[in-house]
Amino acid sequence: MLADSFNGTALDTKRWVIYDSPQVKLMPRSSANVAVSAGALRLTGWIDSAGRDVSGGVASRINLQYGRWEARVRAERGSGYSAVVLLWPQSEKWPTDGEIDVVEVPDPERQVGGNFLHLGSDNRQIENKVHADFTQWHTVGVEWLPNRITYYLDGKVVWTVTRPTSSGERNMIPSKPMHMTLQHDRGCFQLIPCRNAQTPPTVSMYVDWIKIYRAPSTML
């Protein structure tokens, strides 16, 4: 098991890669928007000194083929950003090798989130809605096995996707190694609304801890 409680005053870059691409048009992120304090990782969205609407994100250096990933997270209210915990393919071949979204919370009030699953060159996507007050701490998790993906909220199963037994059904279970990413995605893109007059100057996503477990051989 790998665990990180985000103690100290800086992110452990031996464990994490910090995104730093504030100049891109979609999902701009800066290392300046990533901080560790009071036992939590903080990813913040704001308008920077260059007038750019940017946010923050980090990626684990641990890639696994099957396992369990958990994170304890919360997000501040504010249109324009989405708190996201997901698994991304080590190959960087997206969407062909898939994407497992443990949770995305684009709702400005943080009362509705979603679990998503992508797979295939045509970016086939399926989803499940999750209702919770994500301004408060919640533990989100996913267990990924060869024939099943199970999503959790506070230890309770909220969605299960299984490998089809019929050749006529499309498989949605990825099979290539992935790593956890923690992202506070900027809006005006896909499901995420734009900033508006009611959005605070800064909007943050907090991560209290993460845990990563390798799947035991008896489950493979």
Side-chain angles (χ1 to χ4, degrees), residues 192-209:
I192 313 171
C194 298
R195 262 185 168 265
N196 59 33
Q198 287 72 49
T199 302
T202 66
V203 181
S204 294
M205 167 189 175
Y206 297 86
V207 186
D208 184 23
W209 51 258

Side-chain angles (χ1 to χ4, degrees), residues 119-205:
L119 187 64
S121 58
D122 60 348
N123 193 19
R124 171 74 184 279
Q125 176 179 310
I126 55 177
E127 62 182 275
N128 173 64
K129 284 188 177 180
V130 179
H131 295 269
D133 181 1
F134 286 100
T135 66
Q136 305 299 311
W137 289 110
H138 288 282
T139 300
V140 298
V142 70
E143 185 177 75
W144 169 35
L145 298 171
N147 295 311
R148 184 182 72 250
I149 296 178
T150 307
Y151 294 76
Y152 297 87
L153 178 67
D154 298 324
K156 297 180 180 179
V157 175
V158 293
W159 192 33
T160 301
V161 179
T162 58
R163 183 180 293 274
T165 56
S166 167
S167 60
E169 298 179 68
R170 176 154 171 177
N171 173 52
M172 288 297 295
I173 310 296
S175 61
K176 301 295 178 62
M178 293 194 176
H179 57 266
M180 171 183 272
T181 79
L182 307 168
Q183 301 173 185
H184 199 216
D185 289 345
R186 193 196 72 176
C188 276
F189 179 65
Q190 294 183 342
L191 298 176
I192 313 171
C194 298
R195 262 185 168 265
N196 59 33
Q198 287 72 49
T199 302
T202 66
V203 181
S204 294
M205 167 189 175

Side-chain angles (χ1 to χ4, degrees), residues 3-200:
D4 197 334
S5 297
F6 303 111
N7 295 319
T9 58
L11 195 66
D12 183 352
T13 54
K14 293 181 180 179
R15 294 183 173 186
W16 300 94
V17 176
I18 301 174
Y19 299 164
D20 194 24
S21 53
Q23 73 284 352
V24 301
K25 291 183 178 181
L26 293 178
M27 303 298 178
R29 305 181 181 99
S30 170
S31 59
N33 297 57
V34 177
V36 173
S37 64
L41 170 67
R42 181 179 183 179
L43 306 175
T44 302
W46 63 47
I47 307 298
D48 70 8
S49 58
R52 301 173 298 196
D53 185 0
V54 297
S55 192
V58 301
S60 171
R61 295 184 184 275
I62 303 298
N63 286 279
L64 295 177
Q65 183 187 32
Y66 310 125
R68 184 181 177 111
W69 290 257
E70 297 176 342
R72 185 162 175 81
V73 300
R74 69 179 180 90
E76 295 175 340
R77 290 184 173 88
S79 184
Y81 306 95
S82 177
V84 180
V85 179
L86 64 82
L87 306 186
W88 187 260
Q90 180 182 16
S91 67
E92 295 290 334
K93 294 179 180 178
W94 183 94
T96 302
D97 287 347
E99 174 185 342
I100 301 173
D101 297 294
V102 186
V103 74
E104 295 188 18
V105 191
D107 171 29
E109 295 300 315
R110 313 299 179 221
Q111 301 302 300
V112 182
N115 316 125
F116 297 84
L117 185 57
H118 304 247
L119 187 64
S121 58
D122 60 348
N123 193 19
R124 171 74 184 279
Q125 176 179 310
I126 55 177
E127 62 182 275
N128 173 64
K129 284 188 177 180
V130 179
H131 295 269
D133 181 1
F134 286 100
T135 66
Q136 305 299 311
W137 289 110
H138 288 282
T139 300
V140 298
V142 70
E143 185 177 75
W144 169 35
L145 298 171
N147 295 311
R148 184 182 72 250
I149 296 178
T150 307
Y151 294 76
Y152 297 87
L153 178 67
D154 298 324
K156 297 180 180 179
V157 175
V158 293
W159 192 33
T160 301
V161 179
T162 58
R163 183 180 293 274
T165 56
S166 167
S167 60
E169 298 179 68
R170 176 154 171 177
N171 173 52
M172 288 297 295
I173 310 296
S175 61
K176 301 295 178 62
M178 293 194 176
H179 57 266
M180 171 183 272
T181 79
L182 307 168
Q183 301 173 185
H184 199 216
D185 289 345
R186 193 196 72 176
C188 276
F189 179 65
Q190 294 183 342
L191 298 176
I192 313 171
C194 298
R195 262 185 168 265
N196 59 33
Q198 287 72 49
T199 302

